[in-house]
Amino acid sequence: MYYYSTRSKAQGLSFAQAALTGLAPDGGLFVPEIIPPYRASVRTSLGTMDFHDIAFETIKPYVYGEIPDTVLADLIHEAYPFSAPLVQVEAQLVLELFHGPTAAFKDFGARFMARAFAYLRRGEEQSLHILVATSGDTGGAVAAGFHGVEGMRVTVLYPKGRVSPLQEQQIAGLGGNIQALAVEGTFDDCQRLVKIAFSDQTLQKQQALSSANSINIARLIPQSIYYAAAAGKAFAGKSDTPQGASPWDALKAAPPGTVSLKPGEPITFCVPSGNFGNLTAGLYAMKMGAPIRGFIAATNSNKTVPDYLASGLYQPRPSQATISNAMDVGAPSNFERMSAQWSWEALRQLLQGVYVSDEATRRIIEEVHHSQGYFLDPHTAVAWQGLNQIRRAASLSGPVGILATAHPAKFAEIVEPLVGPVPVPESLKHVMEGKTLARIIPADISALLEVLC
Ligand SMILES: *Cc1c(COP(=O)(O)O)cnc(C)c1O
């Protein structure tokens, strides 16, 4: 498989080159030459296949000839000791993506990427330096994914004071090969600094650099897995029973799982979106042949993409702070990837855009807890409320699955004042005990280069 920059088809790179470079030299994002369809035998058995087998079949064509099958299978087993249950919360399907170690969906991309990098770089002497800008969850997932991995060094930039205390601790509490920089600015500043650093010739010569943002193709591809698995299940008329970390209120009634799903119906996914890596991975899964009807792109007041879908005009803007801070992105970087592969007209066929205010987000957290005893984190709440808003305007046919992108305990400072104590999953219990080891820098490229060089 060759990978090209979204800005030029002049040079095709291997998966290893595209993944390890991160961003294309011309500033574009890498995209695969084709989105490979599932074999028919795989496509028709997604509903019964094991999560690891779906992961293997999904990733294999993208790394064919570069990661041998046995290595890939091992890598997937190591990366995913957890999966993505599709649970019923009364009449609503929820795809719970927070059963990994940092309790957010970014574990799916980051854990695969860390292990793929380690394999692709086997035998290299110089360590690989990974630069990541995060609006919250990426940093923690990447830091956890790479922590202690030999030959890897990670620098995470996050907007100071704009991530939750727990997120900050997940980024800055590890130390060792993980360096945390608290930038006095917004997520867009962090992202801009990383972009400039990547184009800095001196730094490029001195170090082996890579990114780990959702702009990295190695993080994007594995995010297609859970879409395929969930779509397959719903199409087979199945869902999962809630697992250990499912955030039910023990004081409320036992979790219901009531609706019987009609087999043979493709699902619509409602995706809480910021940088649009998750949604792009969903588009890939659909194109590969997973039984997906379409998507709802739900944002907070950073509604650049919903506005684009409505008007055809793409107008990036500065990001605004909201309570769903991992989606505070005014200039979503994966938009370039989406629009390189799908026209506005095509996207309008596949996606509906909706945005949700903080006030409505808070209200739906209360409502869902009150009526169903299920805790939503603010990001998942944006999707839940966005779906309600869409449904008010038009009926949707077939099942709809909401992507639950983080465990509510990660955002306890927002959720608990609304609905009381949230059960903390095992994965998060010990995080807050350590020290925070961040260095504060201004949103200025010379300050960043000084730290990096
Ligand atoms: C990163 C993140 C999102 C947004 O995902 P994108 O791929 O950037 O659109 C949504 N919810 C949570 C909890 C996140 O961490």
Side-chain angles (χ1 to χ4, degrees):
M1 177 78 75
Y2 284 107
Y3 292 82
Y4 294 95
S5 166
T6 44
R7 299 189 187 173
S8 146
K9 274 216 140 190
Q11 199 194 2
L13 301 184
S14 66
F15 173 76
Q17 288 168 324
L20 293 169
T21 324
L23 196 69
D26 62 7
L29 278 64
F30 288 115
V31 288
E33 57 179 326
I34 57 153
I35 296 173
Y38 287 117
R39 286 180 287 132
S41 60
V42 172
R43 197 182 62 240
T44 52
S45 44
L46 288 172
T48 49
M49 281 166 73
D50 174 52
F51 188 80
H52 288 147
D53 293 338
I54 295 177
F56 180 83
E57 292 293 341
T58 303
I59 298 174
K60 176 178 161 155
Y62 292 103
V63 301
Y64 189 75
E66 297 185 68
I67 302 182
D69 286 359
T70 51
V71 173
L72 180 62
D74 284 351
L75 223 142
I76 283 167
H77 272 85
E78 271 176 45
Y80 305 124
F82 53 92
S83 74
L86 181 68
V87 304
Q88 291 194 21
V89 179
E90 210 157 270
Q92 183 57 59
L93 284 172
V94 178
L95 177 55
E96 292 185 344
L97 301 176
F98 48 66
H99 292 273
T102 73
F105 86 94
K106 294 190 173 75
D107 284 331
F108 285 94
R111 289 180 63 82
F112 174 79
M113 184 178 58
R115 286 156 185 79
F117 278 15
Y119 176 75
L120 297 170
R121 297 255 317 159
R122 67 198 181 284
E124 293 280 343
E125 262 177 37
Q126 193 184 25
S127 70
L128 184 68
H129 191 171
I130 299 196
L131 294 183
V132 202
T134 183
S135 59
D137 278 342
T138 297
V142 170
F146 281 93
H147 186 53
V149 176
E150 217 172 299
M152 303 285 162
R153 187 181 143 201
V154 178
T155 298
V156 183
L157 285 75
Y158 64 95
K160 182 170 177 286
R162 291 186 187 224
V163 302
S164 79
L166 190 94
Q167 285 176 329
E168 179 162 39
Q169 197 58 31
Q170 286 182 325
I171 296 163
L174 293 169
N177 63 335
I178 313 294
Q179 169 170 245
L181 300 178
V183 175
E184 294 173 316
T186 64
F187 169 61
D188 292 340
D189 290 320
C190 297
Q191 220 171 7
R192 182 176 50 83
L193 290 180
V194 166
K195 274 199 171 188
I196 304 174
F198 273 117
S199 58
D200 187 89
Q201 295 300 320
T202 323
L203 192 65
Q204 280 285 1
K205 284 212 186 78
Q206 185 195 69
Q207 300 185 18
L209 290 179
S210 186
S211 79
N213 278 65
S214 56
I215 57 177
N216 195 301
I217 194 72
R219 240 190 73 188
L220 189 92
I221 290 165
Q223 290 179 351
S224 299
I225 302 166
Y226 45 76
Y227 284 99
K233 250 177 249 172
F235 196 75
K238 298 194 297 190
S239 61
D240 297 304
T241 46
Q243 298 187 354
S246 289
W248 294 95
D249 191 335
L251 299 176
K252 297 251 178 182
T258 48
V259 189
S260 58
L261 282 165
K262 200 162 91 197
E265 294 258 33
I267 191 170
T268 300
F269 287 111
C270 183
V271 188
S273 295
N275 234 339
F276 281 78
N278 202 6
L279 205 138
T280 304
L283 289 167
Y284 278 34
M286 182 179 189
K287 188 101 193 248
M288 290 181 81
I292 300 170
R293 188 181 301 268
F295 300 88
I296 296 165
T299 70
N300 57 32
S301 55
N302 294 281
K303 59 190 180 69
T304 307
V305 171
D307 283 352
Y308 165 77
L309 290 168
S311 70
L313 287 181
Y314 181 67
Q315 296 176 304
R317 52 202 85 161
S319 59
Q320 290 176 20
T322 74
I323 59 169
S324 46
N325 67 36
M327 311 198 305
D328 291 351
V329 186
S333 46
N334 275 288
F335 181 79
E336 179 159 341
R337 200 173 253 142
M338 284 162 68
S339 57
Q341 293 173 284
W342 286 272
S343 68
W344 176 64
E345 290 80 8
L347 283 177
R348 298 234 314 168
Q349 299 292 315
L350 301 175
L351 299 186
Q352 297 190 68
V354 65
Y355 74 95
V356 175
S357 70
D358 274 358
E359 195 199 332
T361 305
R362 288 202 167 88
R363 216 179 313 123
I364 198 73
I365 292 173
E366 288 173 338
E367 265 176 49
V368 171
H369 176 257
H370 181 78
S371 61
Q372 275 133 84
Y374 189 76
F375 293 100
L376 301 179
D377 94 282
H379 307 80
T380 309
V382 164
W384 196 297
Q385 171 60 18
L387 175 59
N388 284 351
Q389 289 172 205
I390 293 271
R391 279 199 163 124
R392 239 170 263 150
S395 68
L396 292 165
S397 48
V400 180
I402 290 175
L403 271 65
T405 46
H407 193 284
K410 281 196 91 167
F411 299 91
E413 69 287 353
I414 291 157
V415 178
E416 293 193 340
L418 300 170
V419 294
V422 180
V424 180
E426 281 308 314
S427 57
L428 299 182
K429 279 191 177 142
H430 305 292
V431 175
M432 291 310 284
E433 287 160 13
K435 277 197 305 210
T436 307
L437 307 158
R439 182 155 161 188
I440 300 167
I441 64 162
D444 182 291
I445 187 63
S446 55
L448 176 63
L449 289 176
E450 200 174 299
V451 175
L452 296 181
C453 292

